[in-house]
Amino acid sequence: GENVGLHLPTLSVQEGDNSIINCAYSNSASDYFIWYKQESGKGPQFIIDIRSNMDKRQGQRVTVLLNKTVKHLSLQIAATQPGDSAVYFCAENMRGNKLVFGAGTILRVKS
Amino acid sequence: DTAVSQTPKYLVTQMGNDKSIKCEQNLGHDTMYWYKQDSKKFLKIMFSYNNKELIINETVPNRFSPKSPDKAHLNLHINSLELGDSAVYFCASSQRGYTLMGYTFGSGTRLTVV
């Protein structure tokens, strides 16, 4: 597939299992964080966001956790489905409304 | 209705040529962006315009010139194309000061310089 040979961190999970994707961000002054999903041939698509005054936010099947002490974000996907296979990016909103992306993690869901 | 649309979707061109990529958004947002995604999938911001005014200009060769005729359009013109310009270019939009839902991205323009 398109992501072969990319050397991004890859998470392989069995369909129905839960997935946890991790991200370290760089700027302690960042006030807003977003997780994006990018499917092959498409642009990044918003999944869930969290402000820096929160440490957890839940959506439909997804949860984002924020640990400001160690500058760490995670995305938890419950009951992972084949349609969840994609590259996942965390992004931090820096001063000046500039969204800076992390390196990306490939999620592969095995049926 | 496509919220952020880019044209063309694919662009193959020879080194040294000049090319443009167009972007339009129908979300009523006041800020638009160009991002470059390299072969390692790394997404890096290039430019940002707010109400036709340039507000972010990262370290990008001056062969790249963005133009915003109005707040719904942001085009990217590239002069003297080089092999290293090959990448996927994404346009995005947002409402400044209202970061809920982040940015809305277009589906990208894959530029291949040969």
Side-chain angles (χ1 to χ4, degrees), chain A residues 20-75:
Chain A
I20 300 177
I21 300 171
N22 296 303
C23 173
Y25 64 92
S26 59
N27 191 335
S28 55
S30 293
D31 59 359
Y32 178 65
F33 304 88
I34 309 169
W35 278 100
Y36 281 92
K37 172 187 181 184
Q38 186 178 20
E39 295 175 279
S40 180
K42 297 184 179 178
Q45 180 186 5
F46 174 93
I47 303 173
I48 191 167
D49 58 358
I50 189 166
R51 296 197 181 279
S52 58
N53 61 354
M54 303 169 71
D55 53 23
K56 180 178 179 178
R57 188 151 190 245
Q58 286 185 283
Q60 192 176 17
R61 278 201 312 120
V62 292
T63 300
V64 54
L65 299 178
L66 173 63
N67 184 332
K68 293 183 287 292
T69 304
V70 295
K71 293 191 285 188
H72 183 268
L73 270 172
S74 68
L75 176 70

Side-chain angles (χ1 to χ4, degrees), chain A residues 97, chain B residues 25 27-33 48-53 55 68 70-72 92-98:
Chain A
N97 203 36
Chain B
Q25 55 96 3
L27 297 165
H29 288 164
D30 61 3
T31 307
M32 296 183 72
Y33 312 83
S48 170
Y49 269 75
N50 175 257
N51 279 323
K52 303 193 295 176
E53 180 187 347
I55 55 170
S68 181
D70 55 61
K71 71 174 191 177
S93 72
S94 73
Q95 187 65 20
R96 196 175 192 192
Y98 182 66

Side-chain angles (χ1 to χ4, degrees), chain A residues 2 6 32 36 38 97 99, chain B residues 35 37 39 41 99 103:
Chain A
E2 182 184 275
L6 264 182
Y32 178 65
Y36 281 92
Q38 186 178 20
N97 203 36
L99 203 60
Chain B
Y35 276 80
Q37 187 170 47
S39 58
K41 294 285 191 183
T99 49
Y103 298 3

